[in-house]
Amino acid sequence: MTATLSFDGITFLREWLAAPLRVGALAPSGATLARAITAEIGPEMGPVIELGPGTGVFTRALLDRGVAERDLTLVEAGSEFAVMLEARFPEARVLWMDASRLRAVDLFGGGQAGAVVSGLPLLSMSPRKVVAILDGAFRHLKPGGAFYQFTYGPGCPAPRPILDRLGLKASRVGRALSNVPPATVYRIQRRSQRHPTEGWR
Ligand SMILES: C[S@@+](CC[C@H](N)C(=O)[O-])C[C@H]1O[C@@H](n2cnc3c(N)ncnc32)[C@H](O)[C@@H]1O
């Protein structure tokens, strides 16, 4: 059997070798997971923040959903990934930084994002870092805005005590069984808010 690695696959592997815990996966996510994590997002939501875009698999899916490239803010800690994203998505804003510092950044001059899509490996992060990421992200999200996160694990990668502390709740909204490894998508939102897809009970 001959294994071939794409350009993206090689970049991913190189970043993983340099920082395995930060990258958290050996290869980019597949198209099924990209569709699942972006399924509830559309252009009417306004700006979208993506955390940990890597080579841009979810970024492309956001564009396929009709989100304008200029409405994308891509937050990536890997320098090789950040350079690649700038070349691929010249109209998007690429921030080469740690997503846990988002709270301190003025992203929209008062405006707010409609959604956050996260490919961050939350399971390999300290609870303190997960709190900083969620707290920072929700400061940029408008009321009713949601944070979409995937995981390879059995439950939501943001633990219940952290969600409780920040007044958030999580619901499983998608699955990508054909992804390698299979993944689940969670929507995290403010506890006081109801998502349009949730019926009245
Ligand atoms: C599992 S990969 C996902 C990449 C891409 N979203 C995908 O699904 O193919 C995790 C990504 O998050 C980035 N990352 C990890 N920790 C980060 C942090 N604290 N701030 C910003 N990016 C981070 C990594 O560099 C990597 O691009």
Side-chain angles (χ1 to χ4, degrees):
M1 193 176 79
T2 324
T4 52
L5 268 180
S6 64
F7 176 65
D8 285 15
I10 291 168
T11 307
F12 218 90
L13 204 53
R14 214 169 26 225
E15 283 265 7
W16 180 82
L17 285 169
L21 276 185
R22 169 173 57 78
V23 175
L26 279 169
S29 299
T32 315
L33 176 54
R35 276 194 297 274
I37 201 166
T38 56
E40 293 187 347
I41 300 175
E44 70 288 349
M45 289 181 173
V48 175
I49 302 169
E50 186 181 348
L51 309 180
T55 54
V57 179
F58 298 165
T59 320
R60 284 192 205 291
L62 286 167
L63 297 177
D64 289 346
R65 298 279 315 158
V67 176
E69 195 174 309
R70 64 178 176 281
D71 276 340
L72 292 174
T73 296
L74 311 176
V75 180
E76 174 54 60
S79 57
E80 203 173 341
F81 285 145
V83 169
M84 186 183 238
L85 292 165
E86 272 179 342
R88 288 186 172 173
F89 308 104
E91 288 179 43
R93 169 168 45 181
V94 178
L95 300 177
W96 176 35
M97 61 175 275
D98 189 318
S100 63
R101 293 196 302 105
L102 260 187
R103 181 190 169 121
V105 180
D106 179 11
L107 286 184
F108 305 109
Q112 289 182 309
V116 174
V117 175
S118 168
L120 297 175
L122 294 188
L123 289 177
S124 62
M125 294 178 178
S126 68
R128 181 191 285 260
K129 192 151 186 156
V130 174
V131 168
I133 287 167
L134 285 172
D135 182 45
F138 272 89
R139 277 174 197 269
H140 295 291
L141 270 174
K142 55 181 134 190
F147 183 112
Y148 295 91
Q149 174 71 48
F150 83 87
T151 182
Y152 305 130
C156 180
R160 184 66 194 262
I162 290 182
L163 295 176
D164 287 348
R165 178 173 157 192
L166 297 173
L168 302 173
K169 61 182 177 181
S171 337
R172 196 177 66 205
V173 292
R175 278 217 163 115
L177 296 177
S178 61
N179 195 70
V180 186
T184 308
V185 176
Y186 284 85
R187 183 208 307 126
I188 300 173
Q189 60 195 114
R190 293 180 182 95
R191 207 162 271 177
S192 53
Q193 249 122 34
R194 192 177 284 275
H195 193 265
T197 57
E198 295 174 310
W200 292 97
R201 280 174 281 219

